[in-house]
Amino acid sequence: MRVRGKFISRYRQLAAFYVLVFVAFFSASAVQAKTTDLVPCVTQVRPGETVATIASDARRFDCTTPQSSLPPGDYWVRMSVPASAHSNDQGLIFRTASLWDKGFEITAIHADGHTQYYQPDLTQKIGPMRLGATVVLPIKRHDSPISMLVARVNQSAIIRGVMLAPQLSVAEDAIRYEMGMAVLYAGFVGLCIALLVYNIALWRAMREKFLLAYCSMVAAMMAYAFFTSGAVHYVVSGMSGSDRLRITIPLLALSASTGLIFIRYFFEASSIPKWLVRATIVHAAAMSTYSIFYAAVAPNFIGALDQIYMLGFLPMPFLFCAYLWTAWQQNDPLLRYFLIAWSGPIVSVAARMLHGFGMLPYHVLIENSTLLGLAFEALVSSLAIGHRVRMLAQARDRAEIAEANAMLMADTDPLTGLLNRRAFLRKLLEHNSNWTLILVDIDHFKR
């Protein structure tokens, strides 16, 4: 027990270290990066307007109203560029988060009046969609610094805003950011592959349902990471941000559904009430079905689809608490693992929901909180699965010992300890050689 306790303590420390490494990485990147956050001010596009007519009319633009509260449509976005954002020896990179829209184009207005037009080209070999699900545009060098950026966003659905977290950074920091994203996503996928292979091997040997459910959850997490990271754009050329989102968002719901199924099989089946099992299956099926509907219908009615999608996650905390209460009442030994493992995803889902409802501002950690939470859950759940396998092995050993004792009692005479007639015949029939059976009747045997 002492060795096992030390192992669990070391594993928890490893899981905590895994999370802290990425938090420290993003914090260090934020401190060291020479990145300037731009303040987007927006106004709706009117017929006949051009960049030349709208750029000088600063009073038209709203910089304070939350963008998520605006109606869908075409928008101008005006961003003043401070002098500190420029670099004499390095080119500038414009970056913004990928949102539900039909694309955008940007005009850079320099201090000497020179203008330069930029538009993301999805047909390029290295497209503008990069890791971290951001759109990147290199800004050409010019003798005069940029004083303003004016963007036109076409058919914005205003799900999280018109233009989210626009930034200007030097090329070196843009490369550092993408390398950091590559480390994060590669580490997550590598972890998932290792867990998937190991648990598939366990499932083939043991045929336990919770192992298959766990493998399904890890596979769904890998698919979600592939799309939410933007890595899909390196494989499928010409894919727009909206096309990626219409697959990414359903994959997150699918990951949550498979996670619910895993929870259902995580505990002993005899300890879970039937109503909770039915509620879990119904909710998981509803989320999976709605995911398919979402992918088929989006981006049409995207506002209503997104609200229903966010509301679909609300029953999950109640189901989570129901499993906690049931496990606590049954004094289930797996409860502590369950609490530790699912604390990460619960926090990440809560952060995403608060951001989706406009209660938390955008941050790169919130955007990647789901992957961090799922990675933590996968690590701790693998420990829980190991403990569950150990419990099954102990139960199997006890059953084998009990079966051996029962057979010994059934096959031997309690007075003499000799094999009885049934055991004698079974031993005889186990051999394929020719035997001659001699029966001897001994009178007065006991005497």
Side-chain angles (χ1 to χ4, degrees):
M1 291 297 292
R2 184 176 301 174
V3 174
R4 176 174 164 268
K6 289 182 178 179
F7 175 73
I8 294 173
S9 177
R10 294 300 179 101
Y11 199 98
R12 290 174 181 172
Q13 293 174 6
L14 177 63
F17 176 75
Y18 176 83
V19 176
L20 290 176
V21 162
F22 286 108
V23 173
F25 169 79
F26 282 115
S27 301
S29 299
V31 172
Q32 297 176 0
K34 300 174 183 178
T35 300
T36 301
D37 295 328
L38 304 178
V39 179
C41 303
V42 300
T43 185
Q44 281 192 294
V45 176
R46 296 175 182 174
E49 287 181 330
T50 62
V51 174
T53 60
I54 196 65
S56 59
D57 192 1
R59 294 174 299 177
R60 279 270 311 277
F61 290 87
D62 185 358
C63 305
T64 58
T65 303
Q67 294 182 13
S68 57
S69 63
L70 300 173
D74 298 338
Y75 281 86
W76 294 108
V77 182
R78 186 178 188 271
M79 295 162 283
S80 298
V81 179
S84 59
H86 298 86
S87 175
N88 294 328
D89 56 346
Q90 298 186 65
L92 292 176
I93 302 294
F94 175 81
R95 181 190 304 276
T96 185
S98 175
L99 296 175
W100 283 102
D101 53 49
K102 290 292 185 181
F104 66 89
E105 52 266 8
I106 286 182
T107 300
I109 302 177
H110 294 260
D112 61 357
H114 175 75
T115 60
Q116 183 67 47
Y117 175 80
Y118 302 93
Q119 184 179 21
D121 186 3
L122 298 176
T123 62
Q124 294 178 351
K125 186 175 182 179
I126 301 178
M129 300 294 298
R130 302 296 175 82
L131 287 177
T134 57
V135 183
V136 173
L137 287 177
I139 304 297
K140 296 180 180 179
R141 295 184 182 182
H142 187 70
D143 295 336
S144 178
I146 301 174
S147 60
M148 184 190 310
L149 291 173
V150 178
R152 177 180 171 129
V153 181
N154 302 312
Q155 299 182 31
S156 174
I158 316 293
I159 296 301
R160 292 191 294 165
V162 179
M163 182 163 283
L164 190 62
Q167 297 176 335
L168 272 180
S169 63
V170 297
E172 178 183 350
D173 290 321
I175 294 174
R176 183 186 298 117
Y177 176 84
E178 289 194 29
M179 290 180 65
M181 291 291 102
V183 170
L184 171 65
Y185 297 127
F188 178 80
V189 172
L191 172 67
C192 288
I193 292 175
L195 293 174
L196 190 63
V197 172
Y198 176 71
N199 285 279
I200 286 178
L202 280 179
W203 175 76
R204 286 179 59 85
M206 304 182 66
R207 298 295 177 178
E208 291 289 339
K209 292 182 179 179
F210 72 91
L211 291 170
L212 188 59
Y214 183 79
C215 292
S216 300
M217 181 185 70
V218 173
M221 287 162 43
M222 287 179 57
Y224 170 73
F226 179 67
F227 281 88
T228 192
S229 65
V232 63
H233 293 283
Y234 292 84
V235 179
V236 182
S237 61
M239 174 179 284
S240 65
S242 296
D243 290 335
R244 180 187 61 83
L245 286 171
R246 64 189 296 215
I247 301 175
T248 302
I249 294 175
L251 282 176
L252 179 58
L254 181 61
S255 300
S257 300
T258 53
L260 279 177
I261 298 300
F262 170 65
I263 294 174
R264 179 256 179 272
Y265 290 110
F266 185 75
F267 298 104
E268 291 290 342
S270 58
S271 64
I272 304 176
K274 291 183 179 180
W275 70 266
L276 184 55
V277 174
R278 287 194 293 266
T280 301
I281 295 175
V282 168
H283 185 263
M287 288 287 287
S288 301
T289 304
Y290 184 74
S291 299
I292 299 174
F293 178 77
Y294 187 105
V297 175
N300 300 315
F301 313 106
I302 187 60
L305 288 174
D306 193 71
Q307 288 296 320
I308 297 173
Y309 174 81
M310 296 299 295
L311 292 174
F313 283 91
L314 291 180
M316 293 192 67
F318 297 100
L319 294 173
F320 180 81
C321 292
Y323 278 102
L324 289 183
W325 176 256
T326 301
W328 180 76
Q329 282 187 320
Q330 300 291 333
N331 196 23
D332 196 303
L334 297 174
L335 176 59
R336 61 181 179 273
Y337 298 100
F338 181 78
L339 283 172
I340 296 172
W342 285 89
S343 60
I346 290 298
V347 171
S348 66
V349 168
R352 291 295 294 265
M353 291 183 66
L354 290 175
H355 173 63
F357 289 117
M359 299 180 184
L360 278 181
Y362 172 84
H363 193 275
V364 66
L365 287 179
I366 293 180
E367 188 69 20
N368 294 279
S369 62
T370 304
L371 292 182
L372 294 174
L374 291 175
F376 181 80
E377 185 278 329
L379 279 171
V380 182
S381 290
S382 62
L383 175 63
I385 286 176
H387 183 62
R388 179 73 180 276
V389 170
R390 181 172 178 270
M391 291 173 58
L392 291 173
Q394 290 176 340
R396 180 199 60 195
D397 293 342
R398 289 193 298 268
E400 289 179 352
I401 293 173
E403 181 182 1
N405 290 333
M407 182 172 292
L408 180 63
M409 294 177 62
D411 288 352
T412 58
D413 179 71
L415 179 62
T416 63
L418 298 175
L419 295 180
N420 57 25
R421 181 175 179 272
R422 185 169 68 93
F424 173 76
L425 292 176
R426 188 182 70 250
K427 293 285 187 179
L428 183 66
L429 295 175
E430 287 177 355
H431 297 79
N432 297 323
S433 302
N434 295 325
W435 289 85
T436 299
L437 178 61
I438 301 175
L439 298 179
V440 179
D441 184 14
I442 303 177
D443 294 334
H444 310 293
F445 174 75
K446 290 183 180 181
R447 186 185 306 171

